[in-house]
Amino acid sequence: MTSTKQLNKITLKGSAAIVSEFFFYGINNILYQRGVYPPEMFKQEKKYGLTILVTTDEGLLTYLKDNILPQLTAIVCNLTEWLEKGAVRRLVVVIRESETNETLERWQFEIQSDEEQKNSNNPPKPKDVNTINSEIRAVIRQITATVTFLPLLETPCSFDLLFYTDKNLEAPSQWEDSSACLITNSEEVKLRSFSTSVHRVDGAVSYKFSM
Amino acid sequence: MDEDKLSVYYTPDNTKVMRIMGDFTNFLNTQRRAAANRSSPFLSSIPFNIAKDETLQETSTEVVKPETALSNVEMMLKIKNMEAEFESVKKAQVKANIELESKVNQFFSENCHLKEKCDDLQFKVKQLTSKSLELIDETKSAKKEKNDEISKWESSYSQLHKVKQEADDRVANDLAMNANKNSQLQEENMNLKSHVNILELRLEEMSSHMEHFTNKINEAQEATHLHQQRETQIQELKRELRELTSRLSEAEDAEKMAKIFKEDLSRLRQLEIEYKRLVEENHKLRENQENAFLLNEKLLLAESKLDRAEERCAKMDNLEATNNNLLARLKSLDNNQSVTSKYNELSSQVLELRHMIEFLEERNATLESEHVILSKKYMSEKQEKTVLDAKLAEQQESSSSLSAQLIRLRKKAGLLAHERDSIRSILQSYDAELTSTSHTTQLSRRLQNSEDANRKLYFRIEQLENELQKSEEQKLFHKLRAKQLGGPEVYPSAVVCPTPSQCMKSENANDSELETLKVKIEEYEKERITMHDKIEHLETWIEQGRIKGDYNPENTKVLHFAMNPSALAHQKSKQDVAQLKADNTELRKKITELQQGHEVSISEVEISRTAKEQIARAELRNQRLKEIFSKKIQEYRQACYSLTGYRIDTSTDSRFKLLSMYAESESDCLLFEMKPDGTMQMLETEFSKSLEDLISLHLHHQNSIPMFLSALSISLFSQQTMMLE
């Protein structure tokens, strides 16, 4: 029993690392594709068998790597604990107009843990890293492809990352409550999803629809 | 003159002058002591003497020293005067000489200038002559051209004249022709007038026609109006048609739906028909059962009668036996003939017995007949029983089908309950997840309604189940009854089973309830379908809301990093906007102040004024510098020209054109090019081709351009002077 638990824990951590890495590249891809930051602020990097553009801006990198991703991995790692409480977690990339702070796009990624399946006697199906990577690749490709139908961001924009967490979660001091940044008149498109053997990430994008 | 002299003699050595000055004062003192009363001319001549002394210091110093007699002095004075005169004459001569030299120089320079001018003029004259020659040629050619033109014109004039004559002739002919034509035309005119009259008549006719046509046109216009109206109507109709087609498509959809519903309905009808059939069968069975009961009763009665008849038959046998015994006794008695009285008694007894026997025989006959009837009845009842058994089997089958239906219904009820539970859970979860309040109230109402409906449905199902149990019990009872009928024929006891009439009643009630229940089940089924649709709709709605980002604030919260890029960007933009607004207000104030015209701060005015002044100064400086530069350049060029004898022009970048002062013409120029390293290179011109000797000597051998230039100017100068001479 203990050995299996340990095994699960290891896979959980590994899965969390995969998920957070996906978010790093996914967020970078969104920022580049949607033109939130100028193209000269990005450099090419090979990942998942794709060439993904990653920011070179120090401030942005520290924000993502020091503040967001560790927190994300922590949250993802703690998912099991929170799932017992019945909490649902999401990560939302909100693209806002800098001047008015109006939300123009929401990239929502719902993180579901497959713990329930695992706790029931069926052991989790071991999933090959290559298949996971191919799934992630499909998601990132789809994000890139969405540029064709999403409306052009004509005004200067910036982004924010929202976490849907358990209400009882004690957040670090630098974190604060936020609104959900909902878009009133929005169109929604569901994106592909991928799953490690432990986590499942469902993507969706909703954007301001104006005739 | 004096100064010139002094300068001539002063310049070699100043110390010597000082010594002479000392001698000169000594001499003056001695002179004053010696001849204090001498006239002023002497004194006036002293300066000259001094000057002379200064010039002739070596000789005079020795002569002046000793003091001699007056004559000597006078002589000396005379000599000195003479010398002075001589000196003055000499000086005048020198002066004149110098003046003459300067004049000569002047003349020479003038001569040079004149020569230059002369050269220029000669050059100009040459040019002019060449030009005049060209002009003369041109004029000659022009004259020739003009003459040619004149001759052409003359020839053309003559031709024209001829043409004119011809034309005149033609005109005369034409005039004659025209006169003829005129007369003809007059005739034609007359004819035409008559035609015109006819045409006028026709015109009137036509006007009447026209009126007719105008009327027609009006009618046509009205018709067109009508047509347009109709077209508009048609367009409206088309629109309506489109709407109708759209409606038709909707209707088609509805039809499809209706078809599905119809299919459901047809199934329902089939079920109803089946149900009716079953009910009828049930009725028939009940009737049969009643008949069976009646027949059974009759059978029982007949059987009892038969038993009694059989008993009597048995008794009859006994009686016959006794009769036989008695007859035997009677015979014995007859044989004996002992007792006649007994015989009589016995005979009476026999008679009685005979009566009895007759009676019994009669009864036996009746009983036998009854037995036959009953046996017939029994046979018929047996047949009926077999029929009834068959019917019972059918009923059993129907009851089994009913029980199957019941099971199905139970399953449906279970499903409904399950669905109700799931709906409730979904709605609860939706309620929990829903953030906006406007929908929750509606949804909660719907949920309550559906829950009530579900509860009712549940009760009804329970009732149905009870009914079903009852009907099953009854069915069992009927089975038993059938078995009883099929088994040994026993009288049905009143305790075991209710009377057939009661059974009938209860079954009737069951049927009615079953029907109502069925109807209700159908209703609930429909409701279930609608509820299912609603649930699907709500599920999709919830899914959409989830994609939009809805969450349950009761158990979820949204966090974000405080120093996120968006917040920073927003803050920055706010600051920028605030800054811009501040700038804007300030600038607006300034603009208003400027528009008002007086409240401009002094510092600003000063700044603007100083700036303007600086600009003006800078411009002025630039202007002056330009002027000075141009002046200096001109001066420099002039200096170069007059000093080196070459005019240097820069035609293009790093190319210099040199024209000598003594050049014969403007075209006799040299071209030099400056290389990037600063060295000069001579380029070939028409003029340079004629200077091969100089080039080979000075440029190729000596490798010196200045030498070449000076040699060239020397040669040119010599040529010029030779020409002048």
Side-chain angles (χ1 to χ4, degrees), chain B residues 574-592:
Chain B
K574 261 189 181 173
Q575 280 176 358
D576 288 349
V577 167
Q579 183 66 38
L580 284 169
K581 273 183 181 171
D583 288 353
N584 196 16
T585 46
E586 210 175 306
L587 287 167
R588 268 193 187 160
K589 267 186 194 172
K590 276 189 183 172
I591 286 162
T592 47

Side-chain angles (χ1 to χ4, degrees), chain B residues 606-633:
Chain B
E606 275 181 2
I607 286 163
S608 67
R609 199 169 57 200
T610 49
K612 274 180 187 171
E613 277 175 8
Q614 276 178 355
I615 289 162
R617 231 180 288 155
E619 276 179 357
L620 197 69
R621 200 188 291 162
N622 263 339
Q623 192 67 33
R624 276 181 191 166
L625 279 170
K626 267 185 195 169
E627 280 171 14
I628 287 161
F629 276 136
S630 60
K631 208 172 163 186
K632 284 279 162 195
I633 287 162

Side-chain angles (χ1 to χ4, degrees), chain A residues 86 88 90 110, chain B residues 419-436 439-440 443-444 447 451 534-543 545-546 550-556:
Chain A
V88 183
R90 289 180 214 169
E110 189 147 353
Chain B
E419 271 180 358
R420 184 203 59 194
D421 290 339
S422 65
I423 288 158
R424 197 182 287 160
S425 65
I426 286 159
L427 286 172
Q428 270 175 355
S429 67
Y430 176 69
D431 247 8
E433 276 188 15
L434 208 67
T435 49
S436 54
H439 292 277
T440 47
L443 285 166
S444 61
L447 187 74
E451 271 181 357
K534 273 183 189 174
I535 284 159
E536 275 181 0
H537 180 70
L538 283 170
E539 270 180 353
T540 51
W541 201 77
I542 285 162
E543 178 67 21
R546 208 171 56 76
D550 276 340
Y551 65 100
N552 187 1
E554 281 175 8
N555 57 8
T556 311

Side-chain angles (χ1 to χ4, degrees), chain B residues 456-457 460 520-528:
Chain B
K456 283 176 189 171
L457 194 73
R460 288 306 308 167
K520 277 185 181 174
I521 284 164
E522 277 167 10
E523 281 173 8
Y524 288 136
E525 192 77 11
K526 278 176 189 171
E527 208 174 316
R528 191 184 68 85

Side-chain angles (χ1 to χ4, degrees), chain A residues 37 63 67 90 96 98-99 101 106 108 110 158-167 169 174-178 180 182 186 188 190, chain B residues 433 435 543-551 553-567 569-571 573-574 577:
Chain A
Y37 290 96
Y63 170 68
N67 298 321
R90 289 180 214 169
R96 282 178 177 162
S98 300
E99 202 179 322
N101 234 3
R106 282 178 107 259
Q108 184 172 286
E110 189 147 353
S158 58
F159 80 104
D160 193 4
L161 294 171
L162 306 181
F163 286 100
Y164 283 46
T165 63
D166 188 81
K167 202 170 177 63
L169 178 81
Q174 285 174 312
W175 291 75
E176 58 184 21
D177 285 355
S178 163
L182 300 178
S186 68
E188 294 85 34
K190 261 197 93 136
Chain B
E433 276 188 15
T435 49
E543 178 67 21
Q544 211 177 7
R546 208 171 56 76
I547 290 169
K548 270 185 181 176
D550 276 340
Y551 65 100
E554 281 175 8
N555 57 8
T556 311
K557 66 176 174 181
V558 182
L559 285 178
H560 72 151
F561 196 67
M563 297 295 286
N564 61 68
S566 171
H570 185 58
Q571 213 174 334
S573 74
K574 261 189 181 173
V577 167

Side-chain angles (χ1 to χ4, degrees), chain B residues 221-402:
Chain B
Q221 276 175 348
E222 281 170 11
T224 50
H225 270 291
L226 278 167
H227 181 68
Q228 280 173 354
Q229 281 174 358
R230 273 181 196 159
E231 271 184 351
T232 51
Q233 279 176 355
I234 284 159
Q235 280 173 351
E236 279 169 16
L237 285 165
K238 273 180 183 172
R239 265 182 234 149
E240 279 176 11
L241 200 88
R242 273 175 215 153
E243 283 172 15
L244 284 167
T245 48
S246 62
R247 278 186 199 170
L248 198 80
S249 59
E250 283 170 15
E252 276 172 1
D253 294 337
E255 246 179 69
K256 280 174 190 170
M257 292 293 285
K259 269 182 188 174
I260 295 156
F261 282 128
K262 266 182 188 173
E263 280 170 13
D264 287 344
L265 276 168
S266 64
R267 241 186 277 159
L268 209 126
R269 270 171 203 156
Q270 281 175 0
L271 280 168
E272 275 177 0
I273 288 155
E274 262 181 47
Y275 177 71
K276 276 177 187 171
R277 194 169 56 80
L278 284 166
V279 167
E280 280 170 10
E281 277 177 7
N282 221 349
H283 266 291
K284 278 178 189 171
L285 282 167
R286 268 173 217 148
E287 280 169 12
N288 285 330
Q289 267 184 345
E290 273 175 41
N291 286 332
F293 287 135
L294 287 167
L295 288 167
N296 276 333
E297 276 176 27
K298 278 181 184 174
L299 193 79
L300 286 167
L301 282 168
E303 276 173 354
S304 62
K305 277 180 184 176
L306 199 81
D307 287 344
R308 267 180 270 158
E310 276 174 353
E311 274 176 15
R312 277 179 189 175
C313 279
K315 278 178 184 175
M316 271 275 285
D317 289 337
N318 288 335
L319 283 168
E320 273 181 357
T322 49
N323 199 15
N324 286 331
N325 285 338
L326 286 168
L327 280 170
R329 271 184 198 176
L330 204 73
K331 273 174 185 177
S332 65
L333 284 169
D334 279 342
N335 289 332
N336 291 336
Q337 289 174 356
S338 59
V339 187
T340 53
S341 59
K342 277 188 180 178
Y343 178 76
N344 288 332
E345 282 175 9
L346 283 169
S347 65
S348 66
Q349 274 186 349
V350 166
L351 277 169
E352 279 177 13
L353 282 168
R354 274 181 185 167
H355 282 297
M356 276 277 280
I357 286 163
E358 280 174 2
F359 174 70
L360 283 168
E361 276 179 346
E362 278 174 12
R363 273 196 85 180
N364 200 9
T366 52
L367 279 167
E368 273 181 351
S369 68
E370 274 185 356
H371 178 74
V372 169
I373 292 158
L374 280 169
S375 64
K376 278 179 184 171
K377 268 191 180 176
Y378 178 70
M379 289 299 283
S380 68
E381 275 178 354
K382 262 193 176 175
Q383 281 175 356
E384 276 185 8
K385 199 202 151 200
T386 51
V387 171
L388 275 171
D389 277 341
K391 279 184 179 175
L392 198 78
E394 278 179 16
Q395 208 184 12
Q396 271 179 352
E397 278 175 14
S398 66
S399 67
S400 65
S401 68
L402 276 168

Side-chain angles (χ1 to χ4, degrees), chain B residues 637-688:
Chain B
R637 280 165 67 89
Q638 191 58 44
C640 279
Y641 182 67
S642 50
L643 288 173
T644 60
Y646 284 100
R647 200 173 75 201
I648 301 168
D649 295 317
T650 50
S651 56
T652 52
D653 282 343
S654 67
R655 272 197 182 188
F656 301 95
K657 186 175 148 189
L658 269 74
L659 184 70
S660 177
M661 196 187 273
Y662 309 111
E664 284 179 1
S665 67
E666 286 275 337
S667 59
D668 290 353
C669 60
L670 295 167
L671 259 179
F672 287 94
E673 192 180 37
M674 187 183 258
K675 282 184 177 175
D677 56 349
T679 56
M680 297 297 277
Q681 190 182 24
M682 202 175 98
L683 302 175
E684 197 182 62
T685 56
E686 284 294 321
F687 180 61
S688 69

